[in-house]
Amino acid sequence: MTGDRATRTISSCPARFVLREREDATKQEFSELGISIYELDALEITTKRDLLEAMAKDMSFPSYFGMNQDALIDCLRDLSWLPIGGHALLVHDSDRFWKTYPDLAGMLLECWLSCVSYWEKVGVPFQLVFLWSDTK
């Protein structure tokens, strides 16, 4: 499936909150569209460094990754070392992440959204999904 069709199907919402019980359906949607899925465990993130290290590990950033916010954006706009069918980052335990570390969750969202227009121009899906378990 081409990136163009996948973009038309899901790009209207490049970042979204999904209840955890919809995780499998969300993964299936991405898989059917040929979008690579990366998973971030927010339980392991308590500092900016933790977030940057987790992103570098989960998305296989190159060794030259500079471990700062600008370097994160640079890598998210490149991703040439990954398959080109599209990219989806699923953030587990997002409700706790947003409640406990809103600055870190906001930084991730800000960095991701700053890269969306680049990926839209080249027709590659680029999705950020916060998996949410708290329904209250």
Side-chain angles (χ1 to χ4, degrees), residues 5-126:
R5 177 163 178 218
T7 300
R8 283 196 313 269
T9 305
I10 61 173
S11 71
S12 61
C13 189
R16 55 185 157 155
F17 294 82
V18 173
L19 290 176
R20 189 173 58 185
E21 57 260 19
R22 298 269 316 136
E23 177 182 352
D24 290 340
T26 301
K27 287 179 177 180
Q28 182 66 30
E29 173 189 5
F30 291 140
S31 179
E32 289 173 359
L33 295 169
I35 297 172
S36 297
I37 299 169
Y38 311 95
E39 301 188 56
L40 190 71
D41 182 359
L43 287 176
E44 298 177 2
I45 299 170
T46 60
T47 66
K48 184 176 180 179
R49 181 160 188 88
D50 291 341
L51 174 60
L52 294 169
E53 287 176 351
M55 289 293 295
K57 177 184 174 208
D58 296 340
M59 297 191 78
S60 304
F61 286 176
S63 60
Y64 59 79
F65 174 57
M67 293 297 294
N68 61 60
Q69 195 167 343
D70 289 336
L72 176 59
I73 292 169
D74 289 344
C75 281
L76 288 174
R77 284 189 181 146
D78 183 354
L79 301 178
S80 59
W81 54 91
L82 297 175
I84 61 168
H87 311 285
L89 177 65
L90 276 62
V91 183
H92 294 271
D93 296 298
S94 292
D95 45 336
R96 184 211 56 90
F97 190 43
W98 277 99
K99 288 175 186 175
T100 310
Y101 303 103
D103 291 345
L104 294 174
M107 183 187 102
L108 173 59
L109 179 60
E110 179 183 355
C111 290
W112 195 272
L113 291 177
S114 73
C115 300
V116 168
S117 64
Y118 168 79
W119 290 108
E120 285 178 344
K121 287 177 189 173
V122 296
V124 174
F126 192 67

